[in-house]
């Protein structure tokens, strides 16, 4: 057997150098960090979407309560602090309701409901406006 062929492998069979391994690990690390970054933005976007959905549902619930009052003259401005998405106490939302008389008469009222998340993720106010004559109209 030729000792020269045993000790001196061909150039293509020498294996990886330390530099090649470091470059491969660096590329892999950049790829993993990119995936983690994208995952963070996806989770954050989903959380913001859930907050907006809760705010909108709460605003619609409060608006319907005001619109279903039989006498629009009895509607007043109000603020609910620390309510949950169903309007019950103990949640992270503030609800501001403003009732105005746009035409000066007694037949209808303009209702504005604004829901804001207090602290945490989200916090952009959601506002609904409606004109009502009472009794759900």
């Amino acid at each position: 057997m030729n000792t020269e062929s045993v000790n001196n492998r061909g150039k293509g069979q020498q294996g990886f150098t330390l530099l090649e391994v470091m470059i491969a690990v660096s590329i892999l690390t950049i790829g993993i960090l990119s995936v983690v970054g994208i995952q963070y933005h996806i989770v954050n976007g989903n959380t913001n979407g859930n907050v907006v959905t809760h705010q909108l549902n709460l605003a619609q619930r409060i608006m319907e309560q005001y619109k279903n009052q039989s006498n629009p003259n009895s509607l007043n401005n109000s603020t609910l602090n620390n309510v949950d998405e169903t309007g019950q106490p103990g949640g992270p939302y503030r609800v501001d309701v403003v009732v105005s008389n746009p035409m000066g008469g007694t037949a209808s009222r303009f209702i504005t409901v604004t829901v804001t998340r207090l602290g945490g993720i989200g916090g952009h106010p959601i506002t609904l406006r409606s004109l009502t004559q009472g009794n759900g109209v």
Side-chain angles (χ1 to χ4, degrees):
M1 185 187 305
N2 187 355
T3 58
E4 188 176 318
S5 66
V6 172
N7 292 335
N8 202 6
R9 296 181 183 169
K11 289 186 180 181
Q13 298 177 355
Q14 291 180 347
F16 296 107
T17 64
L18 182 58
L19 181 60
E20 291 171 332
V21 171
M22 289 176 61
I23 290 171
V25 168
S26 298
I27 292 171
L28 181 65
T29 302
I30 290 170
I32 289 172
L33 290 176
S34 298
V35 169
V36 169
I38 291 170
Q39 182 71 18
Y40 169 78
H41 288 293
I42 289 171
V43 170
N44 195 25
N46 284 341
T47 303
N48 281 333
N50 288 338
V51 168
V52 169
T53 300
H54 289 164
Q55 286 177 287
L56 186 57
N57 287 339
L58 178 57
Q60 288 174 336
R61 180 185 301 259
I62 300 296
M63 179 65 76
E64 289 302 317
Q65 289 174 359
Y66 271 73
K67 286 179 71 171
N68 285 324
Q69 296 292 321
S70 59
N71 182 7
N73 293 328
S74 66
L75 301 177
N76 296 314
N77 297 345
S78 66
T79 298
L80 304 171
N81 285 311
N82 300 318
V83 295
D84 65 8
E85 61 272 4
T86 63
Q88 300 301 315
Y93 301 104
R94 182 184 77 229
V95 180
D96 296 307
V97 181
V98 177
V99 180
S100 60
N101 191 346
M103 297 176 218
T106 59
S108 63
R109 294 291 182 264
F110 194 61
I111 303 169
T112 303
V113 178
T114 303
V115 178
T116 306
R117 181 177 170 92
L118 305 171
I121 295 175
H124 300 288
I126 300 290
T127 301
L128 292 181
R129 293 182 178 98
S130 181
L131 186 64
T132 184
Q133 295 178 358
N135 293 321
V137 180

